[in-house]
Amino acid sequence: MSGLISASRVYARRITVTLASTALAVTAGLLTAPSAQAAMPTPVDAATARTYLGELTVQAEGSSSGYSRAKFPHWITQSGACNTREVVLKRDGTNVQQNASCAAVSGSWYSEYDGATWTAASDLDIDHMVPLAEAWRSGASGWTNTQRQAYANDLTRPQLIAVTDNVNQAKSDKDPAEWLPPRAAYRCAYVRAWVHVKHYYELTVDSAEKSALQTALKDC
């Protein structure tokens, strides 16, 4: 994976450093800590997430019949030449430079899901926190295409995040009963964001999903 920075640099991002070592890191060209970069909108806090979870309708997950990603049009133009993917790459990265077509040509990205750092935009996927297929089975099958387009390109809720591509592919359309980020330190934020999005869009949860969310929120 050509974009992956060496393990020592990834480790360096995760530890608390003194001012002297920070200066040394800058001199050596190391990346800034994840907390210094922009990020997706902050999800509700754990207490609110627990309240929201209790308000969600619990029912068996619906069918995937009729689902296709084309029914959630993305990535749409957000401004000028920039589409949603490019906006999120700019937002979630550090020192991101874009060309005249708004494509990211340089920068660095820290993937919250697995703790990896990348320097090539091609190594990043933009994950839908609550996947499109999951949304379809949880109520979005009854939405209009316009509503699904808004959902698939939502920059206001904690719904879109730039992460390592193969980790996102491993997640696929799984819910938290089936998949959580391999980086345990991010799981609290992940489940808070999941509940935040489902609550805002009035999507349902199945019983296993709700149980997994309740368990994860206890650790927040």
Side-chain angles (χ1 to χ4, degrees):
M1 297 181 181
S2 59
L4 186 57
I5 291 181
S6 66
S8 61
R9 290 190 176 186
V10 174
Y11 178 72
R13 292 167 58 83
R14 299 180 182 177
I15 60 174
T16 302
V17 292
T18 63
L19 291 176
S21 63
T22 300
L24 179 61
V26 171
T27 301
L30 296 182
L31 304 172
T32 56
S35 59
Q37 66 184 27
M40 72 175 185
T42 303
V44 295
D45 61 28
T48 303
R50 284 189 282 268
T51 298
Y52 280 6
L53 181 57
E55 293 171 353
L56 294 178
T57 298
V58 180
Q59 66 181 47
E61 196 166 82
S63 169
S64 293
S65 177
Y67 167 75
S68 76
R69 290 178 66 83
K71 292 183 178 179
F72 292 81
H74 65 288
W75 303 111
I76 63 170
T77 299
Q78 292 290 344
S79 63
C82 300
N83 67 27
T84 308
R85 172 181 166 83
E86 291 150 352
V87 169
V88 176
L89 285 172
K90 176 72 171 178
R91 182 199 70 188
D92 290 2
T94 301
N95 299 323
V96 177
Q97 299 298 314
Q98 297 171 307
N99 64 19
S101 300
C102 208
V105 294
S106 65
S108 62
W109 292 267
Y110 179 81
S111 171
E112 294 284 7
Y113 286 3
D114 59 332
T117 302
W118 303 91
T119 56
S122 58
D123 288 316
L124 283 298
D125 278 353
I126 307 305
D127 181 41
H128 290 93
M129 181 65 62
V130 178
L132 305 182
E134 167 68 21
W136 178 269
R137 297 189 297 264
S138 303
S141 60
W143 296 351
T144 66
N145 271 13
T146 298
Q147 290 172 314
R148 288 192 289 263
Q149 175 177 289
Y151 177 85
N153 297 275
D154 188 354
L155 295 169
T156 304
R157 262 62 56 182
Q159 164 68 339
L160 300 173
I161 185 172
V163 295
T164 302
D165 54 4
N166 62 345
V167 175
N168 181 52
Q169 291 152 23
K171 171 184 172 179
S172 185
D173 62 351
K174 300 180 179 73
D175 70 31
E178 304 162 309
W179 189 92
L180 287 170
R183 179 172 166 254
Y186 195 67
R187 290 176 184 171
C188 177
Y190 183 85
V191 295
R192 285 160 43 215
W194 183 283
V195 173
H196 186 154
V197 171
K198 281 224 162 176
H199 187 271
Y200 180 83
Y201 285 98
E202 298 182 349
L203 296 169
T204 63
V205 290
D206 62 50
S207 57
E209 176 188 355
K210 182 174 182 178
S211 179
L213 289 163
Q214 288 173 324
T215 298
L217 286 168
K218 289 178 182 176
D219 297 327
C220 290

